[in-house]
């Protein structure tokens, strides 16, 4: 044949391409065999799909259209399309015949009318999609698309079904009962499943070729034809647009408009999803920023604050209104990734990091409160200095006396030797107590103090402490006041001994001018309180809680002159809490400190009665009461 003849299989791939097609379009059979036709312009693909689908379910169609030559030029052609069937009448493809066409005046007038009508529909589609694309809600866009469908294609009703996994859900309808919304059906057995399996873009189903009564769309009275088109969003099938007709036949122009509408709807839906994803992402990021314990600020290219989260307000004391549009109230690091430490006017230490945002010239400033770490660092430095001082003094004495004994043993009298050895023993004991406190401080810091709580007699522990410290109270009067019979308590005797010993030792140490140190017992219904009071330098009420922190003793002004690591009361508190007890510090009247240590009573015993007072006289160790 002189005309160009192209034969397509059921998948719309070229299986025959005659010499007339080679001459007209420029491609050879070898180049196109097994592939989709290469000569359909992009703006004519919807028309091409519509014509093939219309021919598949109906009769031959002849149209005047345009095609592309291999060299890129456009050709005006007359194209005829017919079904290709086998000997049993089953459709196996299409036969397409093309020849160059110059329109006659009458044909030219009809073609101009056709082009004008098509141009009008395309303009209406463009206007419609401009309005639809202004929305950002997916459901709203679907409703607008389906509503516009009936106007653009002349359909009697329409709908949109979403692909959700292996099923379809009816998401929007026009001119159909709203009760149908939400209806689900199996994707594989649906018309859309058939369309997806075929690889085509549009599908026509009529009551001439298949029963429609079992379809959801049969709710439309007099339904004769269903036209549907795949709607792709971001390159993947998202759902299908359905046009429903009561009359039997629709033209390929209506099918073309359906595909164009579905394509534009896919773009609008993709934009809406991108917008919603951006909104969700921003909300997510905002929630993370607001929930962050770190202060976070975003600076513009000029270093002015654009964002200021809640933690930034808490850390700096500056509200958003005070900082937005101004530089932050602290310096920013000059290098990305290198932290800067800065002390605020409120005394809080901040560690500040910056990260540049590529492409925007903005900077994210992340800052956190390092005041506790800074204080601990200072406490550690002080502790090292204190430990060196406290250990060096007795160690110097031990080393000096040991050298003297070694070098001058023969020259020393027995009394001198004994005196030197007693001093060595005394300083060694002092160093042993210091090391023991250090070890207990480590265990207390880890929460691993060895405590075994059981019913016990707290009076026995108190008498033991009294007996141990009575000889040491040379400049003090040490008194023990407790009932003659005490109820048993739930405690660890060894831990309780350590607690009371530390409290008495502190009372003696912080009373350099002497005075009375009293250990008293108060019995209540559910607890027993041990109160150690002195008449020494006292305690500021502000420090009544801080003195139980590690190393705090070294920072308390005039108390520094008394030495020590500042671990004693921290250990005491940990030991008390390990026994479910409590210890508190209070100013004593008229002067001095009162430490109160409470233990739980053991409910299995009754309280005793009566009382006595034991004391040591100042200086001579004699008792008085």
């Amino acid at each position: 044949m002189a005309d160009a003849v192209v034969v397509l299989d059921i998948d719309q791939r070229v299986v025959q391409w005659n010499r007339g097609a080679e001459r007209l379009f420029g491609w050879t059979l070898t180049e196109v065999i097994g592939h989709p036709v290469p000569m359909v312009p992009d703006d004519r693909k919807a028309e091409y799909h519509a014509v093939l689908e219309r021919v598949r379910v109906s009769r031959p169609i002849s149209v005047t259209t345009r095609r592309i030559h291999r060299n890129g030029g456009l050709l005006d052609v007359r194209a005829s399309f017919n079904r290709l069937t086998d000997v049993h009448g089953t459709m196996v493809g299409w036969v397409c015949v093309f020849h160059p066409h110059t329109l006659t005046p009458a044909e030219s007038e009809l073609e101009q009318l056709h082009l004008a009508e098509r141009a009008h529909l395309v303009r209406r589609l463009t206007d419609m999609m401009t309005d639809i694309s202004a929305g950002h809600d997916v459901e709203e866009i679907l409703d607008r698309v389906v509503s516009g469908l009936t106007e653009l294609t002349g359909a009697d009703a329409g709908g949109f079904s979403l692909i959700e996994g292996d099923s379809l859900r009816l998401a929007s309808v026009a001119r159909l009962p709203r009760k149908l919304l939400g209806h689900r059906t199996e994707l594989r057995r649906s018309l859309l499943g058939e369309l997806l399996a075929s690889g085509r873009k549009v599908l026509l189903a009529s009551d001439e070729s298949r029963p429609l009564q079992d379809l959801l769309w049969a709710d439309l009275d007099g339904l004769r034809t269903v036209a549907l088109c795949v709607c792709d969003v971001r390159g993947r099938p998202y759902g299908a647009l359905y046009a429903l007709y009561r009359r039997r036949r629709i033209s390929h122009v209506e099918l073309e408009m359906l595909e164009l509408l579905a394509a534009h709807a896919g773009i609008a839906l993709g934009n809406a999803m991108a917008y919603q994803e951006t909104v969700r992402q921003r909300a997510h990021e905002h929630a993370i920023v607001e929930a962050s314990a770190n202060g976070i600020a975003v600076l513009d290219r000029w270093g002015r604050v654009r964002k200021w989260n809640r933690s930034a307000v808490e850390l700096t004391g500056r509200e958003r209104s005070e900082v937005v549009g101004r530089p932050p109230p602290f310096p920013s690091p000059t290098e990305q990734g290198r932290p800067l430490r800065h002390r605020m006017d409120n005394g809080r230490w901040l560690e500040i990091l910056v990260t540049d945002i590529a492409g925007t010239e903005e900077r994210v400033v992340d800052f956190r409160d390092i005041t506790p770490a800074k204080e601990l660092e200072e406490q550690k430095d002080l502790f090292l200095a204190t430990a060196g001082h406290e250990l060096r003094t007795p160690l110097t004495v031990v080393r000096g006396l040991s050298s003297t004994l070694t070098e001058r043993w023969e020259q020393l009298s027995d009394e001198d030797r004994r005196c030197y050895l007693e001093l060595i023993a005394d300083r060694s004991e002092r160093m042993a107590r210091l090391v023991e406190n250090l070890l207990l401080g480590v265990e207390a810091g880890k929460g691993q103090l060895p405590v075994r709580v059981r019913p016990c007699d707290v009076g026995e522990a108190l008498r033991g402490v009294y007996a141990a410290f009575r000889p040491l109270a040379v400049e003090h009067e040490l008194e023990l006041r407790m009932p003659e019979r005490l109820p048993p308590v739930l405690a660890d005797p060894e831990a309780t001994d350590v607690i009371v010993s530390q409290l008495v030792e502190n009372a003696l140490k912080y009373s350099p001018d002497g005075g009375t140190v009293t250990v008293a017992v108060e019995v209540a219904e559910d607890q027993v309180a041990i109160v150690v009071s002195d008449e020494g330098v006292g305690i500021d009420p502000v420090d009544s809680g801080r003195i139980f922190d590690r190393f705090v003793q070294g920072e308390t002004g005039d108390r520094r002159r008394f030495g020590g690591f500042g671990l004693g009361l921290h250990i005491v508190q940990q030991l008390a809490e390990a026994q479910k007890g409590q210890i508190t510090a209070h100013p004593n009247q008229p002067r001095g400190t009162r430490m109160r240590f409470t233990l739980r009573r053991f409910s299995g015993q009754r309280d005793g009665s009566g009382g006595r007072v034991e004391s040591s006289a100042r200086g001579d160790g004699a008792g008085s009461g």
Side-chain angles (χ1 to χ4, degrees):
M1 294 183 61
D3 289 338
V5 179
V6 178
V7 180
L8 309 177
D9 62 15
I10 199 66
D11 295 321
Q12 300 181 8
R13 293 174 301 190
V14 175
V15 294
Q16 290 292 339
W17 182 271
N18 74 343
R19 293 185 181 276
E22 291 183 354
R23 288 192 297 271
L24 182 60
F25 300 118
W27 285 278
T28 65
L29 173 63
T30 305
E31 292 174 305
V32 298
I33 193 76
H35 301 287
V37 292
M39 67 286 192
V40 181
D42 288 339
D43 64 343
R44 297 283 177 160
K45 285 185 177 178
E47 175 195 68
Y48 172 68
H49 295 148
V51 168
L52 292 184
E53 184 61 17
R54 181 69 260 180
V55 170
R56 185 185 69 82
V57 298
S58 185
R59 58 185 182 180
I61 293 178
S62 181
V63 296
T64 301
T65 185
R66 282 187 167 181
R67 291 293 182 262
I68 302 174
H69 190 273
R70 186 179 182 182
N71 62 16
L74 290 175
L75 304 172
D76 290 318
V77 297
R78 187 72 182 176
S80 299
F81 300 86
N82 205 343
R83 301 168 78 239
L84 178 65
T85 59
D86 60 14
V87 293
H88 306 291
T90 302
M91 181 175 175
V92 295
W94 291 265
V95 176
C96 314
V97 179
F98 303 89
H99 59 268
H101 185 67
T102 302
L103 298 176
T104 66
E107 290 176 329
S108 179
E109 184 177 351
L110 289 174
E111 180 67 12
Q112 290 301 320
L113 289 173
H114 170 72
L115 291 176
E117 179 184 1
R118 187 176 184 278
H120 169 73
L121 289 174
V122 171
R123 282 195 302 272
R124 181 68 191 107
L125 171 63
T126 302
D127 294 341
M128 185 185 301
M129 292 313 304
T130 299
D131 178 60
I132 289 172
S133 298
H136 298 301
D137 182 77
V138 170
E139 292 185 2
E140 180 184 352
I141 289 175
L142 290 178
D143 288 342
R144 291 184 179 183
V145 167
V146 174
S147 177
L149 168 70
T150 55
E151 174 190 345
L152 196 64
T153 66
D156 297 301
F160 194 100
S161 289
L162 290 175
I163 299 174
E164 295 182 343
D166 296 329
S167 65
L168 280 178
R169 177 176 64 86
L170 184 58
S172 181
V173 293
R175 301 181 186 177
L176 285 171
R178 302 288 296 177
K179 66 180 182 180
L180 297 178
L181 290 175
H183 178 82
R184 291 183 179 274
T185 188
E186 188 180 352
L187 174 61
R188 184 175 58 85
R189 302 178 61 182
S190 66
L191 292 177
L192 178 56
E194 177 184 335
L195 178 58
L196 292 174
S198 71
R200 302 193 302 272
K201 296 297 294 183
V202 292
L203 175 69
L204 271 176
S206 68
D207 60 354
E208 295 177 339
S209 58
R210 70 180 74 201
L212 301 180
Q213 291 76 20
D214 58 340
L215 298 178
L216 169 68
W217 311 112
D219 206 75
L220 177 68
D221 292 337
L223 176 65
R224 292 292 181 269
T225 303
V226 177
L228 65 149
C229 180
V230 179
C231 179
D232 292 329
V233 176
R234 300 175 182 175
R236 301 183 63 181
Y238 179 73
L241 195 58
Y242 295 78
L244 314 177
Y245 298 87
R246 288 191 176 98
R247 66 177 187 269
R248 291 178 180 272
R249 296 180 56 195
I250 63 173
S251 73
H252 68 276
V253 175
E254 292 160 333
L255 275 179
E256 180 184 357
M257 289 299 108
L258 178 64
E259 182 175 347
L260 290 175
L261 180 60
H264 283 75
I267 295 172
L269 288 169
N271 292 339
M273 291 176 186
Y275 175 81
Q276 290 183 350
E277 181 63 28
T278 301
V279 171
R280 281 194 297 269
Q281 183 68 22
R282 287 180 178 175
H284 179 68
E285 291 172 355
H286 179 75
I288 291 176
V289 168
E290 285 300 304
S292 174
N294 286 7
I296 297 177
V298 178
L299 310 183
D300 62 19
R301 60 188 300 181
W302 295 282
R304 299 174 302 196
V305 175
R306 292 184 58 245
K307 292 184 180 179
W308 190 253
N309 76 339
R310 184 171 53 208
S311 293
V313 175
E314 295 173 357
L315 291 175
T316 64
R318 306 290 182 88
E319 295 293 334
R320 289 185 175 93
S321 58
E322 297 179 66
V323 295
V324 172
R326 299 181 178 90
F330 48 73
S332 297
T334 56
E335 295 184 31
Q336 183 172 270
R338 176 170 292 183
L340 171 68
R341 292 186 173 187
H342 174 73
R343 186 175 184 180
M344 299 291 293
D345 294 338
N346 58 11
R348 178 170 278 158
W349 280 91
L350 301 180
E351 184 175 71
I352 307 164
L353 283 166
V354 297
T355 303
D356 295 329
I357 302 178
T360 66
E361 296 187 53
E362 294 176 314
R363 307 188 92 188
V364 175
V365 182
D366 182 285
F367 50 99
R368 62 190 182 96
D369 184 4
I370 61 167
T371 306
K374 193 72 175 176
E375 290 177 350
L376 182 60
E377 182 180 317
E378 293 173 354
Q379 290 172 356
K380 287 180 178 178
D381 291 341
L382 179 62
F383 165 72
L384 292 175
T386 303
H389 172 77
E390 294 292 330
L391 290 172
R392 181 175 56 191
T393 301
L395 186 60
T396 300
V397 173
V398 170
R399 184 171 59 183
L401 293 176
S402 299
S403 298
T404 300
L405 287 172
T406 302
E407 297 171 359
R408 301 179 54 198
W409 179 268
E410 298 297 336
Q411 289 80 21
L412 295 174
S413 64
D414 290 342
E415 184 178 353
D416 289 338
R417 293 171 186 165
R418 185 178 296 107
C419 179
Y420 287 0
L421 289 173
E422 288 175 354
L423 288 172
I424 290 173
D426 178 71
R427 295 303 186 271
S428 298
E429 179 63 26
R430 181 178 176 183
M431 283 193 295
R433 288 199 303 270
L434 291 173
V435 172
E436 183 179 353
N437 277 348
L438 284 175
L439 295 176
L440 279 174
V442 172
E443 297 299 319
K446 296 179 180 178
Q448 298 176 350
L449 286 170
V451 172
R452 187 166 66 90
V453 178
R454 58 192 182 275
C456 65
D457 180 9
V458 71
E460 182 180 348
L462 296 180
R463 284 188 288 269
V465 172
Y466 175 76
F469 278 91
R470 183 178 176 184
L472 303 177
V474 179
E475 301 294 333
H476 302 78
E477 182 177 349
L478 180 61
E479 294 184 350
L480 175 60
R481 302 175 182 270
M482 66 178 182
E484 192 169 315
R485 295 181 59 193
L486 282 175
V489 296
L490 291 171
D492 182 316
E494 291 77 15
T496 301
D497 182 272
V498 171
I499 293 172
V500 179
S501 296
Q502 182 67 58
L503 296 181
V504 173
E505 181 180 346
N506 280 4
L508 295 173
K509 182 167 70 171
Y510 294 116
S511 305
D513 298 327
T516 302
V517 174
T518 304
V519 180
V521 180
E522 300 172 359
V523 179
E525 183 178 351
D526 59 348
Q527 66 182 18
V528 172
I530 302 167
V531 181
V532 178
S533 55
D534 62 62
E535 298 174 342
V537 297
I539 181 175
D540 190 324
V542 176
D543 293 329
S544 60
R546 291 183 65 251
I547 62 172
F548 294 102
D549 294 338
R550 285 193 294 177
F551 316 133
V552 166
Q553 187 276 340
E555 297 182 337
T556 52
D558 65 336
R559 297 169 69 91
R560 173 64 256 149
R561 59 193 171 98
F562 297 104
F565 292 125
L567 285 171
L569 289 181
H570 176 70
I571 295 169
V572 160
Q573 184 189 52
Q574 299 300 309
L575 287 172
E577 292 179 351
Q579 302 177 82
K580 306 298 183 183
Q582 186 180 21
I583 186 162
T584 54
H586 313 272
N588 195 24
Q589 297 301 330
R591 63 191 182 92
T593 305
R594 186 166 57 90
M595 306 295 292
R596 181 180 175 85
F597 168 42
T598 61
L599 289 169
R600 297 171 296 158
R601 284 184 57 170
F602 178 57
S603 58
Q605 300 288 338
R606 297 182 63 181
D607 293 348
S609 60
R612 71 181 178 199
V613 176
E614 297 182 20
S615 67
S616 66
R618 183 181 292 111
D620 56 11
S624 65

